[in-house]
Amino acid sequence: MMNIILLSGGSGTRLWPLSNETMSKQFLRLLRDDKGNKESMVQRVFRQIKETGIDANIVIATNSKQLDSIRNQLGNVDVVLEPERRNTYPAILLACAYLKYEKKIDKEESILVLPVDPYTENSYFETLIKMDEAIQNNAADMVLMGINPTYPSEKYGYIVCKKNENEVKEVERFQEKPDLEKAKQLLEEGAYWNAGVFGFKLKYIEKILGKEISNSCFDDVYKCYSDITKNSFDYEVVEKANSIAMVSYNGNWKDLGTWNTLSEEMSDTLGNVILGENSNNVSVINVTDRPVVALGLNDIVIAASAEGILVSNKDKSSYLRPYVENLNDRPMYQTKRWGEYRVIDEKIFDDGVKTLTKHLTIKAGKSISYQLHNKRDEIWTIVDGNGELIIDGEKRTVTRSDTVSIKKGQKHKITAITELHFIETQIGTELTEEDIEYFD
């Protein structure tokens, strides 16, 4: 049986202000399926895997901050959470340990690792089937996917293979991201883009894991995660393999990692937008309630959210990261397993007391966990819906216009009977997401 590990990471800076650390680019519903319904990159990938007919154990390797987004969009899929961020090598070892110990896969089974967010055709996933066949036929210790390049790119690494007409080619060497002249030379040599997709048998990775840490169960690997070498899987495993083969993919493939590339695959406007007829090659994405009007512009991307507003020439949008990576580290919008919240106001007063105001939406039947805060008070104002509130064990129902005062140290929980909307104002000298204790 085939096993697939989907790597879901990203700091959320390249598609600011829509993306953040918890709502990375793969979760933004900016694409459309064949029926015109909005979908995210991760939803698109899962849909394409199903359409290809692949029968596989699929596990997503990610961090805890992305868990709620994954659950909301994909439901009850297998997820392996890193205890801490330590690059792709330890993340993949942890996911392989999960497949071995928790899913009980055979050591001869294939494991294929790929990013969670490629924008590609269904034939890309059919290439995974060819890779699986090459692995089972013992073509090499490591089997990669190479993308047939359409232009000399400085953004991707390259795979150079030995010359033959076989579908499974022997890899000769790798080339890091080259300059333009070197990229042109690599295309003349018949090199392929490195798609970051690789496959192997479980038994191959078992040996590598055993050299890193002693393990007899999944918990052994999880508890010793910080002892695993912090490096990329490419450097630590792929480039050290004794034998490497490659299967090529010749269809469309894009990394939708910048506003410029993403705008090529989405409609010109999204949200409350008025775009003048005299604008050319302009993309406007607005996820706020305020209108955005764009007139007489050319080659521009505008993106507006609770995090901020971006106005950029499309060609320059790929240089966004250094300008935004040190901005407010608090997400202004988050999806949670129970619903979502949006920060609508922040204040700090002369005496150092701060306030933070959110609009929370809880889905019917869902609830916020029983919890308390040590450093802040909260005031909730119910604006729509009905819910059941518990404060220090005492229950009561709440509805529109009810106001609730929760003091620091008080345990509290709210369950939505119908979809529930309320305004939460936090008050204290220190307002952080970490100031929370959970109870059964």
Side-chain angles (χ1 to χ4, degrees):
M1 186 174 183
M2 188 192 302
N3 302 274
I4 296 175
I5 297 172
L6 296 173
L7 299 178
S8 179
S11 60
T13 54
R14 292 196 295 168
L15 291 178
W16 183 92
L18 265 63
S19 61
N20 55 45
E21 194 171 45
T22 59
M23 183 59 72
S24 295
K25 66 173 184 176
Q26 57 265 34
F27 304 116
L28 300 177
R29 287 191 173 101
L30 301 177
L31 304 175
R32 301 278 183 180
D33 62 18
D34 295 338
K35 298 179 181 178
N37 300 314
K38 287 195 294 185
E39 66 179 356
S40 67
M41 299 179 196
V42 68
Q43 288 174 318
R44 176 184 167 91
V45 164
F46 264 74
R47 173 174 61 81
Q48 289 178 302
I49 290 174
K50 290 181 180 179
E51 290 174 352
T52 309
I54 292 176
D55 181 23
N57 288 314
I58 302 175
V59 58
I60 300 178
T62 187
N63 59 77
S64 60
K65 291 183 177 180
Q66 294 187 4
L67 179 60
D68 284 348
S69 294
I70 291 170
R71 290 282 186 244
N72 286 340
Q73 295 197 3
L74 299 177
N76 191 28
V77 296
D78 279 328
V79 179
V80 174
L81 299 178
E82 306 167 82
E84 60 181 277
R85 288 188 173 181
R86 293 188 63 80
N87 215 320
T88 55
Y89 173 59
I92 291 169
L93 291 189
L94 184 67
C96 288
Y98 176 82
L99 289 169
K100 175 183 177 180
Y101 292 116
E102 301 299 315
K103 303 300 287 187
K104 309 293 184 184
I105 74 168
D106 188 89
K107 63 175 60 181
E108 292 292 332
E109 289 186 34
S110 302
I111 298 175
L112 294 161
V113 182
L114 58 146
V116 77
D117 56 0
Y119 186 82
T120 185
E121 301 170 350
N122 285 7
S123 54
Y124 169 95
F125 299 95
E126 293 168 359
T127 306
L128 297 182
I129 298 173
K130 296 178 182 178
M131 291 177 66
D132 177 48
E133 292 172 353
I135 295 166
Q136 290 302 309
N137 290 332
N138 299 311
D141 291 334
M142 187 72 51
V143 178
L144 312 181
M145 180 190 292
I147 306 294
N148 195 24
T150 53
Y151 63 95
S153 173
E154 302 169 88
K155 297 188 299 181
Y156 307 123
Y158 287 77
I159 303 170
V160 180
C161 297
K162 293 183 178 179
K163 302 293 183 182
N164 65 56
E165 299 301 320
N166 299 332
E167 189 170 58
V168 180
K169 303 181 185 299
E170 184 179 350
V171 173
E172 186 176 273
R173 61 185 172 89
F174 297 96
Q175 171 67 52
E176 289 294 322
K177 296 176 182 178
D179 58 29
L180 185 58
E181 288 305 313
K182 182 63 176 178
K184 291 177 180 177
Q185 180 184 332
L186 287 164
L187 260 62
E188 292 175 0
E189 291 182 48
Y192 296 82
W193 286 335
N194 191 341
V197 180
F198 25 82
F200 42 82
K201 288 185 177 181
L202 173 62
K203 67 179 182 181
Y204 180 75
I205 214 71
E206 276 182 325
K207 296 177 183 178
I208 295 170
L209 179 58
K211 292 177 182 177
E212 283 281 349
I213 53 174
S214 175
N215 62 95
S216 59
C217 64
F218 177 72
D219 280 349
D220 288 345
V221 183
Y222 188 86
K223 291 174 182 176
C224 297
Y225 192 73
S226 60
D227 297 330
I228 300 176
T229 304
K230 187 178 182 179
N231 206 345
S232 76
F233 192 82
D234 296 79
Y235 291 139
E236 202 65 34
V237 177
V238 178
E239 296 185 11
K240 294 179 181 179
N242 292 325
S243 60
I244 310 172
M246 190 208 75
V247 177
S248 65
Y249 165 66
N250 300 315
N252 292 327
W253 176 83
K254 281 186 179 181
D255 174 15
L256 301 186
T258 67
W259 280 114
N260 192 20
T261 54
L262 179 58
S263 65
E264 294 173 356
E265 305 301 336
M266 56 183 291
S267 56
D268 290 340
T269 65
L270 180 68
N272 191 357
V273 175
I274 299 173
L275 181 61
E277 294 180 358
N278 54 346
S279 297
N280 180 53
N281 190 28
V282 174
S283 300
V284 186
I285 303 93
N286 180 18
V287 295
T288 73
D289 296 328
R290 310 291 186 187
V292 172
V293 181
L295 304 174
L297 301 175
N298 295 289
D299 305 318
I300 294 292
V301 59
I302 300 172
S305 80
E307 305 285 337
I309 300 172
L310 169 71
V311 181
S312 171
N313 179 279
K314 285 192 175 183
D315 288 341
K316 299 298 182 182
S317 64
S318 60
Y319 303 101
L320 176 63
R321 175 175 288 178
Y323 295 95
V324 300
E325 60 187 359
N326 294 319
L327 294 180
N328 188 358
D329 59 358
R330 173 192 289 277
M332 304 299 282
Y333 170 81
Q334 269 195 280
T335 60
K336 308 290 284 185
R337 55 174 178 73
W338 41 260
E340 63 183 23
Y341 76 73
R342 189 181 306 275
V343 176
I344 55 179
D345 186 60
E346 289 182 279
K347 288 284 190 298
I348 181 168
F349 298 97
D350 293 341
D351 61 355
V353 173
K354 302 174 183 177
T355 62
L356 178 76
T357 305
K358 297 178 178 180
H359 182 156
L360 293 89
T361 302
I362 306 180
K363 301 173 187 174
K366 298 291 184 179
S367 62
I368 293 177
S369 302
Y370 201 34
Q371 59 186 257
L372 67 77
H373 311 292
N374 292 303
K375 299 178 181 179
R376 68 175 184 255
D377 300 329
E378 292 182 347
I379 300 171
W380 292 356
T381 302
I382 311 300
V383 294
D384 192 44
N386 301 299
E388 181 184 76
L389 174 71
I390 304 176
I391 297 182
D392 286 339
E394 294 188 10
K395 295 182 182 181
R396 69 181 174 98
T397 58
V398 290
T399 189
R400 178 181 287 166
S401 79
D402 284 347
T403 300
V404 179
S405 178
I406 303 168
K407 299 298 184 182
K408 59 176 70 73
Q410 284 190 310
K411 298 177 184 177
H412 56 281
K413 172 182 179 176
I414 191 165
T415 301
I417 299 171
T418 62
E419 184 171 277
L420 190 64
H421 296 258
F422 63 95
I423 304 300
E424 173 185 281
T425 300
Q426 302 176 4
I427 304 172
T429 55
E430 186 176 334
L431 305 179
T432 66
E433 294 297 315
E434 289 71 35
D435 178 22
I436 187 168
E437 291 184 37
Y438 293 104
F439 300 89
D440 290 338

